[in-house]
Amino acid sequence: AESILLLDGKCIIGYLKKRDMEFYGVDGKDLDGIVSQLRLTAGVEVAMFIYEVETQSFKVSLRSNGNVDVSKIAVYFGGGGHMRAAGCDLQGSVYDVINNVTEQICKQFQEQENEKKENLQKKLDIIEKIKGMATSPEEANKSYQEFKALQQQWKEIKAVPAEKANELWRNYQFYVEQFYDLLKLNSEARELDFKKNLELKTKLCEAAEKLDEVDDIISAFHQLQEVVSEMKKRCRNTNGEIKQTEKLQI
């Protein structure tokens, strides 16, 4: 038997002539398993084993690691099988058989490359969107749900060209981390603002309670109005604190 590597080592082809089979006294049943062994060759994604039945007539066995759907190839030539293992009968010279089958293998490889390029562009678009969200803490906070949706889209997109994968992942991680950093800053800033506002409101409440000690009711009323006006300028308390202003009495 002879074997050759094609398509940059991604495809291996084994071939056995009828006269060699007759010389060694073997038939098709004795050849089971050869194609699977060929598929184990390092770097190989699809293996083809061909043996001659009669002049210009061949049995073709196909095995795949899953990247190539060999059942589609076998069905194209009138055979059958499943994604990882299939076979068919072909007529012509051995060179015709090899050329015809490898042409179909090449088509699948090309389709995969085209899909990877499309996936690359989709992921680049996602990175640009996240980059646009990571401009300020406020923008990050408003865009959080959209950000999570983009992360899910990223996970669902399949392979990209291998030479682009590492750089693409680094850029994605950089802007994701930047987005989370802005969310953290936004959260810390809000907590600080709420804390300051709560402290100020507490002081204002204390000042309002002291108005009970003022003898001049008119003066106390005006001072209370100033306190209430100041409190209205403040944002709500953190963690649902009960507003002490609701308890104020003149």
Side-chain angles (χ1 to χ4, degrees):
E2 302 175 4
S3 63
I4 55 172
L5 284 169
L6 298 175
L7 307 179
D8 297 324
K10 292 187 291 186
C11 176
I12 190 169
I13 299 172
Y15 167 53
L16 188 60
K17 297 176 182 178
K18 184 181 178 183
R19 67 168 180 263
D20 292 331
M21 295 174 64
E22 292 173 345
F23 178 82
Y24 290 106
V26 299
D27 59 24
K29 294 180 181 179
D30 298 314
L31 305 177
D32 290 345
I34 292 179
V35 67
S36 296
Q37 290 299 312
L38 289 172
R39 224 292 296 147
L40 297 177
T41 305
V44 166
E45 296 185 26
V46 59
M48 181 192 334
F49 181 67
I50 307 166
Y51 68 87
E52 188 178 22
V53 180
E54 298 292 343
T55 303
Q56 301 279 297
S57 181
F58 299 89
K59 288 281 187 181
V60 180
S61 296
L62 298 163
R63 294 294 183 273
S64 169
N65 66 356
N67 289 334
V68 173
D69 187 346
V70 290
S71 69
K72 290 183 178 180
I73 298 171
V75 169
Y76 181 83
F77 292 111
H82 55 83
M83 184 174 182
R84 293 175 179 265
C88 59
D89 298 331
L90 287 175
Q91 310 298 315
S93 71
V94 67
Y95 303 106
D96 292 333
V97 172
I98 291 173
N99 289 337
N100 290 336
V101 175
T102 54
E103 180 182 10
Q104 295 303 311
I105 294 172
C106 284
K107 283 184 179 180
Q108 287 201 37
F109 280 139
Q110 187 58 54
E111 288 171 0
Q112 291 173 11
E113 289 305 311
N114 292 340
E115 183 180 357
K116 287 178 181 180
K117 290 177 182 178
E118 291 175 1
N119 291 341
L120 173 62
Q121 188 56 54
K122 289 177 183 177
K123 289 195 169 186
L124 287 173
D125 291 342
I126 288 175
I127 290 174
E128 284 301 310
K129 289 179 181 178
I130 294 176
K131 180 180 177 181
M133 295 174 184
T135 55
S136 68
E138 294 76 14
E139 188 64 29
N141 189 61
K142 288 190 297 183
S143 305
Y144 181 71
Q145 292 303 323
E146 184 182 355
F147 168 75
K148 296 301 291 183
L150 289 173
Q151 282 190 306
Q152 183 60 36
Q153 289 177 31
W154 178 279
K155 292 177 183 178
E156 293 171 356
I157 297 171
K158 296 181 180 179
V160 300
E163 68 274 13
K164 299 288 186 180
N166 289 337
E167 181 183 2
L168 187 73
W169 176 250
R170 284 196 298 268
N171 288 337
Y172 173 72
Q173 284 296 100
F174 174 80
Y175 288 110
V176 165
E177 290 174 5
Q178 189 177 74
F179 184 90
Y180 277 121
D181 286 343
L182 288 172
L183 277 181
K184 183 178 179 182
L185 287 173
N186 188 52
S187 176
E188 291 175 347
R190 289 180 65 190
E191 288 179 6
L192 181 59
D193 285 343
F194 289 161
K195 182 178 180 181
K196 289 181 178 178
N197 287 334
L198 181 57
E199 291 174 351
L200 179 57
K201 285 185 176 184
T202 300
K203 291 180 181 179
L204 290 172
C205 287
E206 292 172 352
E209 290 172 353
K210 289 182 180 179
L211 293 178
D212 283 339
E213 302 172 4
V214 178
D215 295 331
D216 187 341
I217 294 179
I218 301 298
S219 175
F221 175 78
H222 287 303
Q223 291 181 55
L224 180 59
Q225 289 295 99
E226 291 177 1
V227 170
V228 172
S229 177
E230 182 65 25
M231 294 189 74
K232 285 181 178 180
K233 296 178 183 178
R234 304 295 160 183
C235 64
R236 63 183 175 83
N237 295 330
T238 56
N239 301 322
E241 291 284 349
I242 298 175
K243 295 183 179 180
Q244 297 185 45
T245 54
E246 295 176 356
K247 300 180 180 180
L248 289 179
Q249 296 181 353
I250 297 178

